Amino acid sequence: MPVRFGRSLRAQLRAMGVRRGGVLLVHASLRWVGVGPHEVMAALLDVLGPKGTLVVPAFTPGNSKTSLAYLEATRRMTEQQRVDYDERMLAFEPGKTPSEGMGVLAETVRLHPDAERSAHPQTSFAAVGFRAADLVGGHDEECHLGERSPLAGLYEAKAQVLLLGVGYDVCSAFHLSEYLVDRQLPFREYGCWVLRGGERIWLPYKDVDLDDSDFGFLGEDFEAEDARRAEPVVRRRLLGGAAARLFPLTDAVDFATQWLTGNRPYGMATDQSQEAATSLH
């Protein structure tokens, strides 16, 4: 079954419009796909071909004391328990630190022997393929997902985005639009543990106050607007048993930039219970 389905998955990806020789950013949950992460990765790389590049998020919120993950984990701790917890937090090492909450496909890509990973200690990307080093290199440590992150390179490369078994609420490409809106952006303090010369040090920095709480609504409006086009760019189908969407990253980011400008009251998060994006930092 896995071999037969693997062939079918390749055919489905080609029929869906994954470009040979292109760049593909994938967010995935494989629960309903019907095949494991190594088979899915192999199918994606085969369809992309030797000149193509597969990219996945490899985020690591667990090394940060400013992340929602940290705040939730330590919410009911005593001061001493929190100190002990902080001392056990691992520092980020690009070649070793596992991604967190990104799914088994993302971690499988990160562990590929030819994978390259960007250097941001909280919002890195991993890539395999022809342009891997080029696309994830030069990720500024003080720019999560903006103009000095791999997302900007993916935009310039006219990458496609594949949402496999997940929705727009986890579409990291929308975060690039938060840096591109024509308004004064709200910033916040971030910080995380990193390894420098074998020493664990605390890295504080400021960056855009990222917020993904409205990305689901943004995605719905993106699809609704796209459906009114003479030639829609969003392609939908089942891959195995999982719902999938494929679309150009540039179209999504351009739409999101306009949508956020008109729909989000900058200077405060859209959801006041949010201190940052739910899946990041």
Side-chain angles (χ1 to χ4, degrees), residues 175-237:
H175 282 297
L176 178 59
S177 301
E178 295 185 285
Y179 293 77
L180 301 178
V181 292
D182 187 23
R183 297 194 184 187
Q184 183 65 41
L185 296 172
F187 274 59
R188 61 166 290 201
E189 297 280 351
Y190 293 95
C192 58
W193 294 106
V194 298
L195 204 67
R196 292 287 187 273
E199 181 181 359
R200 179 177 178 266
I201 66 170
W202 179 250
L203 176 69
Y205 60 98
K206 289 184 178 180
D207 196 11
V208 170
D209 188 4
L210 297 171
D211 175 15
D212 58 15
S213 61
D214 52 0
F215 281 7
F217 299 112
L218 195 171
E220 289 178 4
D221 287 351
F222 172 53
E223 280 205 4
E225 176 69 20
D226 182 66
R228 291 192 284 270
R229 294 187 181 193
E231 297 183 9
V233 298
V234 179
R235 300 186 180 187
R236 303 180 59 177
R237 68 173 299 158

Side-chain angles (χ1 to χ4, degrees), residues 122-143:
Q122 294 184 260
T123 50
S124 65
F125 289 82
V128 175
F130 188 70
R131 296 193 58 188
D134 169 42
L135 289 169
V136 302
H139 194 168
D140 192 320
E141 286 185 339
E142 297 191 8
C143 183

Side-chain angles (χ1 to χ4, degrees), residues 53-73:
T53 308
L54 173 62
V55 185
V56 294
F59 301 163
T60 51
N63 65 344
S64 169
K65 291 195 292 185
T66 58
S67 69
L68 287 179
Y70 174 85
L71 296 175
E72 182 60 32

Side-chain angles (χ1 to χ4, degrees), residues 20-247:
R20 187 168 182 82
V23 178
L24 182 68
L25 173 62
V26 179
H27 293 270
S29 171
L30 302 188
R31 181 178 182 185
W32 303 111
V33 175
V35 70
H38 288 90
E39 290 81 5
V40 174
M41 179 177 68
L44 289 166
L45 290 172
D46 189 38
V47 172
L48 287 166
K51 294 296 183 69
T53 308
L54 173 62
V55 185
V56 294
F59 301 163
T60 51
N63 65 344
S64 169
K65 291 195 292 185
T66 58
S67 69
L68 287 179
Y70 174 85
L71 296 175
E72 182 60 32
T74 60
R75 191 179 306 279
R76 295 176 178 83
M77 289 184 181
T78 66
E79 184 60 30
Q80 186 58 51
Q81 287 173 329
R82 185 176 290 109
V83 169
D84 294 341
Y85 183 90
D86 293 351
E87 290 179 350
R88 293 193 302 270
M89 291 171 68
L90 298 178
F92 177 75
E93 295 181 79
K96 295 182 179 180
T97 306
S99 62
E100 300 173 53
M102 299 295 103
V104 293
L105 177 64
E107 187 63 0
T108 301
V109 173
R110 184 192 72 82
L111 291 170
H112 189 286
D114 296 325
E116 301 281 348
R117 190 183 196 178
S118 69
H120 196 285
Q122 294 184 260
T123 50
S124 65
F125 289 82
V128 175
F130 188 70
R131 296 193 58 188
D134 169 42
L135 289 169
V136 302
H139 194 168
D140 192 320
E141 286 185 339
E142 297 191 8
C143 183
H144 278 290
L145 299 165
E147 301 97 319
R148 302 186 308 281
S149 81
L151 286 180
L154 292 173
Y155 185 95
E156 292 299 322
K158 300 187 184 303
Q160 294 175 297
V161 178
L162 176 64
L163 301 180
L164 177 56
V166 297
Y168 286 103
D169 54 314
V170 300
C171 181
S172 61
F174 286 156
H175 282 297
L176 178 59
S177 301
E178 295 185 285
Y179 293 77
L180 301 178
V181 292
D182 187 23
R183 297 194 184 187
Q184 183 65 41
L185 296 172
F187 274 59
R188 61 166 290 201
E189 297 280 351
Y190 293 95
C192 58
W193 294 106
V194 298
L195 204 67
R196 292 287 187 273
E199 181 181 359
R200 179 177 178 266
I201 66 170
W202 179 250
L203 176 69
Y205 60 98
K206 289 184 178 180
D207 196 11
V208 170
D209 188 4
L210 297 171
D211 175 15
D212 58 15
S213 61
D214 52 0
F215 281 7
F217 299 112
L218 195 171
E220 289 178 4
D221 287 351
F222 172 53
E223 280 205 4
E225 176 69 20
D226 182 66
R228 291 192 284 270
R229 294 187 181 193
E231 297 183 9
V233 298
V234 179
R235 300 186 180 187
R236 303 180 59 177
R237 68 173 299 158
L238 288 178
L239 294 179
R245 295 176 172 88
L246 180 75
F247 50 89

Side-chain angles (χ1 to χ4, degrees), residues 257-269:
T257 302
Q258 295 300 315
W259 191 95
L260 292 174
T261 299
N263 288 274
R264 190 181 281 185
Y266 278 93
M268 64 179 182

